[in-house]
């Protein structure tokens, strides 16, 4: 019998992405505890310390942690170009990201300038490391595809978002006179509309057709969508430079952005309705939830432009984008990436009995339970800006999702270790 | 012209990594001089790297329905 080796030299060691993935849920739990700690409803005021701290635990500690772990794995597969100095890059990113996110959250909660001033250089180090490594990887890549473009644009917007975030944190800490509202708007637009949305779109171009067995995204859409979103984000930045932004300009720019974001959601839902195998799949359901919430967020965000109301609707659209859209997709991708990684690293020597089936690595009933928990959390988040009791449900939901993710990730790691041991025992 | 000895494998509609596992499994038992004919719904780029490293030759044809036909043999 011939043994056909699977070339894993391009891929980083399995410990690199798994390290990021296992730390991330701890920040979900921390965000939950922070939301519960305040005397008042943190969702009622978008500038409340608890909401700022919890939001950054989710965006930096959970979302960026998973996305940065995944990008190191995805680069060699999708653009045929690994990150340089994989292990060193991972350590130089994960440690300052963990401590930076913790100190930033503590700095917001306590209003402590010293903590903020320690946090922003640490976060800067983490992101500059990953941005530099990603750009080197992109420059070396021979691939020419829509995913590569999306990753490049996403990394550029991440650079802008991080620079603005560092300036804001330093400004708050030092009491600098800065146009905080405009800087915060640009920071949020580049972080969520740029880095998060563009990366999710780029990865979806691969993950949706491959794992959900749908047709490919139409070529014109895949090629044009992320550059168009990037262009609109630049327009938005330029409009913020104006001393006074006329309302019509805000409506035009925001309208274009949400139209493009909705096009992605609608295209994904249409592709999923044309999938080859109509079998229930938790990843597909996480993606569908995310796309439906993205459409709802777009409608809500546009409604707030035409019918200016109070800040709580703005908080709600940000919450929906983060928890309902981005977190749904990140959870869904985790449930494909982690079992695939375990299988991929065990399969190296070819087909053997000790290599488990991908479906056995994380039992599906845990994924369905997670989906139900997540739906409940998103539903509670809809009411949270107005109803204090809902804050408890959001917090409880985030806490339980964090615990569940830790459990399933360690389950996958233990399957990997046991299988590897069996493979080593059975090899001559 | 003599007819080639071929083993057929249809992995259309199977989620990853099942097509990959089935193809590799079939190649491990493929007798020398015989061919594996694969029908698959996506072009399997990662497979090509494995085939190249394993000393296999292959020929891919895109079919009218958008699926692919791959003819694989060892060292030919």
């Amino acid at each position: 019998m011939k043994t056909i080796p699977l070339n894993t030299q391009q891929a980083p060691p399995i410990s690199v992405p798994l390290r990021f993935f296992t730390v991330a849920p701890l920040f979900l739990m921390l965000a939950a505890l922070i939301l519960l700690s305040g005397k008042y409803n943190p969702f009622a005021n978008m500038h409340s310390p608890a909401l700022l701290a919890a939001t950054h635990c989710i965006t930096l500690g959970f979302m960026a942690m998973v996305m940065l772990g995944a990008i190191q794995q995805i680069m060699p597969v999708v653009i045929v170009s690994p990150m340089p100095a994989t292990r060193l890059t991972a350590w130089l990113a994960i440690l300052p990201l963990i401590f930076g996110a913790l100190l930033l959250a503590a700095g917001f909660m306590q209003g402590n300038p010293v903590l903020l001033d320690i946090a922003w250089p640490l976060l800067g180090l983490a992101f500059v490391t990953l941005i530099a490594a990603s750009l080197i990887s992109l420059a070396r890549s021979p691939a020419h595809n829509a995913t590569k473009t999306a990753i490049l644009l996403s990394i550029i917007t991440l650079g802008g978002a991080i620079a603005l975030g560092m300036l804001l944190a330093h400004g708050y800490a030092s009491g600098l006179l800065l146009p905080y509202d405009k800087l915060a708007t640009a920071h949020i637009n580049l972080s969520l509309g740029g880095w998060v949305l563009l990366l999710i779109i780029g990865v979806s171009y691969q993950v949706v057709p491959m794992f959900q067995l749908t047709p490919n995204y139409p070529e014109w859409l895949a090629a044009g969508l992320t550059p168009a979103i990037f262009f609109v984000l630049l327009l938005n930045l330029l409009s913020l430079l104006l001393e006074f932004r006329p309302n019509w300009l805000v409506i035009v720019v925001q309208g274009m952005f949400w139209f493009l974001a909705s096009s992605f959601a609608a295209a994904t839902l249409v592709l999923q309705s044309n999938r080859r195998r109509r079998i229930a799949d938790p990843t597909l359901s996480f993606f569908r939830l995310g796309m439906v919430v993205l459409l709802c967020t777009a409608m809500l965000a546009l409604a707030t432009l035409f019918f200016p109301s109070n800040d709580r609707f703005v908080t709600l659209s940000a919450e929906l984008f983060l928890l309902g859209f981005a977190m749904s997709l990140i959870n869904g991708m985790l449930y494909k990436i982690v079992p695939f990684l375990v299988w991929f690293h065990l399969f190296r020597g070819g087909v053997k009995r000790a290599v488990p089936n991908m479906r056995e690595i994380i039992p599906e009933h845990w994924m369905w339970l997670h989906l139900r928990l997540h739906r409940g959390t998103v539903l509670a988040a809809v009411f949270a800006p107005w109803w204090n009791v809902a804050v408890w449900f959001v917090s409880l939901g985030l806490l339980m999702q964090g615990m569940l993710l830790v459990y399933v990730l360690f389950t996958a790691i233990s399957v990997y270790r046991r299988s590897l041991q069996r493979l080593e025992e059975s090899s001559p | 012209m003599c007819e080639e000895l071929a083993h057929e494998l249809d992995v259309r509609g199977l989620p990853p990594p099942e097509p990959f596992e089935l193809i590799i499994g079939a190649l491990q038992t493929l007798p020398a001089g015989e061919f594996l004919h694969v029908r698959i719904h996506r072009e399997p780029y990662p497979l090509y790297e494995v085939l190249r490293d394993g000393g296999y030759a292959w020929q891919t044809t895109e079919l009218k329905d958008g699926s692919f036909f791959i003819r694989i043999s060892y060292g030919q």
Side-chain angles (χ1 to χ4, degrees):
Chain A
M1 181 184 274
K2 292 186 283 288
T3 297
I4 302 161
L6 181 57
N7 185 357
T8 52
Q9 287 169 1
Q10 292 262 336
I14 192 170
S15 60
V16 167
L18 285 183
R19 201 175 295 140
F20 284 79
F21 297 161
T22 46
V23 170
L26 302 177
F27 278 92
L28 274 189
M29 294 190 242
L30 183 61
L33 297 176
I34 289 171
L35 288 173
L36 284 175
S37 68
K39 284 181 193 162
Y40 307 102
N41 178 351
F43 291 97
N45 174 7
M46 64 192 295
H47 300 292
S48 67
L51 188 60
L52 278 175
T55 302
H56 284 85
C57 278
I58 293 172
T59 52
L60 293 170
F62 178 71
M63 285 170 44
M65 192 74 76
V66 173
M67 288 158 76
L68 293 176
I71 208 171
Q72 295 173 76
Q73 181 63 41
I74 285 165
M75 291 291 216
V77 178
V78 175
I79 64 164
V80 206
S81 176
M83 290 268 195
T86 317
R87 283 177 194 273
L88 180 67
T89 302
W91 280 118
L92 275 177
I94 195 169
L95 291 177
L97 182 56
I98 292 171
F99 290 108
L102 287 173
L103 289 168
L104 189 76
F108 280 135
M109 284 298 281
Q110 297 178 8
N112 185 330
V114 178
L115 295 179
L116 292 176
D117 259 341
I118 304 173
W120 69 259
L122 283 172
L123 292 167
L125 171 65
F127 283 102
V128 166
T129 304
L130 255 306
I131 289 170
S134 303
L135 291 177
I136 292 171
S137 174
L138 285 161
R140 287 177 179 169
S141 162
H144 296 284
N145 55 43
T147 297
K148 185 183 175 185
T149 310
I151 293 175
L152 174 64
L153 298 176
S154 157
I155 294 291
I156 293 170
T157 50
L158 174 64
I162 294 305
L164 289 167
M166 287 162 70
L167 179 63
L168 280 164
H170 180 57
Y172 285 131
S174 319
L176 294 178
L177 278 176
L178 292 169
Y180 285 101
D181 278 350
K182 285 188 173 188
L183 288 175
T185 303
H187 171 66
I188 293 167
N189 285 341
L190 288 180
S191 314
L192 302 186
W195 152 244
V196 173
L197 181 62
L198 294 173
L199 188 65
I200 284 177
I201 292 176
V203 175
S204 296
Y205 288 161
Q206 303 291 328
V207 168
V208 171
M210 192 183 292
F211 285 104
Q212 297 174 14
L213 300 168
T214 70
N216 285 323
Y217 284 84
E219 271 183 36
W220 60 269
L221 183 78
L225 186 60
T226 54
I229 292 174
F230 185 74
F231 173 73
V232 172
L233 290 170
L234 286 184
L235 270 186
N236 194 43
L237 281 187
L238 288 174
S239 75
L240 284 167
L241 293 176
L242 297 173
E243 200 168 327
F244 172 73
R245 279 207 306 174
N247 205 31
W248 66 264
L249 183 60
V250 178
I251 291 175
V252 167
V253 175
Q254 294 285 319
M256 285 196 291
F257 173 79
W258 287 113
F259 170 74
L260 293 168
S262 304
S263 307
F264 165 66
T268 307
L269 289 170
V270 170
L271 289 180
Q272 286 172 335
S273 68
N274 290 317
R275 68 191 193 280
R276 286 188 188 86
R277 288 208 325 174
R278 298 188 175 275
I279 294 172
D281 171 25
T283 303
L284 180 91
S285 299
F286 268 114
F287 266 68
R288 275 193 165 159
L289 173 66
M291 297 305 160
V292 170
V293 174
L294 181 57
L295 288 174
C296 296
T297 310
M299 285 189 275
L300 181 67
L302 289 173
T304 57
L305 288 176
F306 288 104
F307 308 104
S309 50
N310 61 29
D311 276 354
R312 294 186 196 202
F313 282 102
V314 180
T315 308
L316 177 59
S317 53
E319 260 181 67
L320 285 179
F321 188 93
L322 271 179
L323 299 181
F325 166 64
M327 210 172 130
S328 300
L329 266 73
I330 289 172
N331 285 335
M333 286 193 194
L334 266 179
Y335 283 129
K336 279 295 173 207
I337 292 174
V338 172
F340 188 76
L341 272 178
V342 169
W343 173 85
F344 178 78
H345 283 270
L346 288 171
F347 194 80
R348 273 182 283 203
V351 179
K352 294 192 181 84
R353 266 185 225 155
V355 178
N357 184 293
M358 223 175 93
R359 284 196 216 100
E360 296 164 8
I361 293 166
I362 298 178
E364 220 171 65
H365 61 269
W366 290 117
M367 302 183 197
W368 288 115
L369 176 65
H370 190 173
L371 179 69
R372 284 196 287 276
L373 262 177
H374 184 63
R375 277 183 186 148
T377 310
V378 174
L379 188 64
V382 173
F383 300 102
W386 295 274
W387 188 34
N388 295 356
V389 178
V391 179
W392 279 86
F393 286 111
V394 174
S395 306
L396 193 63
L398 290 175
L399 189 67
M400 289 172 75
Q401 287 194 59
M403 287 160 65
L404 183 59
L405 271 176
V406 169
Y407 175 75
V408 295
L409 287 166
F410 277 96
T411 301
I413 292 169
S414 79
V415 168
Y416 174 75
R417 287 198 172 140
R418 278 201 309 271
S419 307
L420 191 65
Q421 197 177 1
R422 281 206 300 272
L423 278 172
E424 283 167 356
E425 283 167 3
S426 63
S427 63
Chain B
M1 192 174 139
C2 66
E3 204 171 297
E4 69 184 32
L5 274 167
H7 301 258
E8 308 290 333
L9 183 63
D10 189 346
V11 293
R12 284 175 296 177
L14 295 178
E18 286 176 37
F20 191 89
E21 283 179 314
L22 290 170
I23 295 168
I24 299 294
L27 288 175
Q28 286 178 330
T29 53
L30 184 71
E34 295 185 14
F35 290 81
L36 181 66
H37 288 177
V38 179
R39 285 288 300 274
I40 187 166
H41 56 281
R42 288 178 66 81
E43 187 156 19
Y45 292 108
L47 177 72
Y48 297 156
E49 198 180 338
V50 176
L51 294 178
R52 194 181 303 116
D53 292 348
Y56 287 84
W58 72 95
Q59 190 182 21
T60 304
T61 312
E62 187 170 1
L63 303 177
K64 278 183 185 168
D65 64 357
S67 69
F68 293 84
F69 173 78
I70 310 173
R71 181 173 168 269
I72 310 171
S73 63
Y74 186 68
Q76 290 182 44

